[in-house]
Amino acid sequence: LRAPNAKKNGVAASRSPLRLRVPRPPMAAQPGKVDIGKLSFEQLNQIKQEHEESIAQLSQRLDAMRQAEARFRESRSTLDVIKADPDAEGKAMLVPLTQSLYVPGTMLDTDSVLVDIGTGYFLEKTVAGAQEMIDRKLEVVAKNSDSMSTVAAHKQQNLEAIVMMMQWKMQQIQDRKAELDAAQKSS
């Protein structure tokens, strides 16, 4: 894609492919920040709906992260039991095929375990290696959960500010209407 070296609608195009200079809109002093006091009630309502949807999605993701963390912790505790029990070899157990389907089995080797790494792939690891892997995954899940919680908290604060501004604007509209009604009754 090449554009001739000309200006159209305030946009200067260069001869290099896919490079356009677009002037910044004077809407916000800082990128990503909007003065909500200057927005119309309809614009505020749209932003409010977007924030509510975003918060709902973040909440779902946080729930999924908490569930993953719980599964990792359960796996970690199972590995602790296997490692601590010297007589675990030869013991009967239930082997999970899915989250709700278990089949009977026997523990043959307590020195190594199969680790599900996703999409049907498994790795054979020592118990200590599997514990380290789970610990790393727990650390990643905790960091992601913390960052998502922070983002959700900021979005919630923004949502509250938007709702307050909408209430203030609605009160202004009602006050103006009352003034106009009073003025019409006086005339």
Side-chain angles (χ1 to χ4, degrees), residues 155-172:
K155 291 233 180 228
Q156 187 64 41
Q157 288 174 344
N158 289 344
L159 179 62
E160 290 168 6
I162 291 166
V163 168
M164 287 175 56
M165 181 59 68
M166 288 177 74
Q167 290 171 345
W168 182 76
K169 286 194 180 245
M170 184 59 77
Q171 186 63 44
Q172 279 188 324

Side-chain angles (χ1 to χ4, degrees), residues 85-175:
D85 187 2
D87 298 325
E89 200 164 311
K91 281 191 176 178
M93 62 181 286
L94 289 175
V95 179
L97 294 182
T98 67
Q99 286 184 347
S100 61
L101 179 63
Y102 292 80
V103 294
T106 304
M107 181 69 92
L108 294 178
D109 181 14
T110 58
D111 295 329
S112 64
V113 292
L114 285 179
V115 178
D116 183 358
I117 58 171
T119 62
Y121 290 95
F122 294 85
L123 287 178
E124 186 172 349
K125 289 202 160 267
T126 64
V127 171
Q131 287 173 323
E132 289 172 9
M133 185 174 150
I134 289 173
D135 289 342
R136 284 192 308 269
K137 286 187 176 197
L138 278 168
E139 189 177 314
V140 168
V141 167
K143 284 180 184 178
N144 287 341
S145 292
D146 289 346
S147 66
M148 272 196 257
S149 293
T150 302
V151 169
H154 287 291
K155 291 233 180 228
Q156 187 64 41
Q157 288 174 344
N158 289 344
L159 179 62
E160 290 168 6
I162 291 166
V163 168
M164 287 175 56
M165 181 59 68
M166 288 177 74
Q167 290 171 345
W168 182 76
K169 286 194 180 245
M170 184 59 77
Q171 186 63 44
Q172 279 188 324
I173 292 169
Q174 290 172 352
D175 290 347

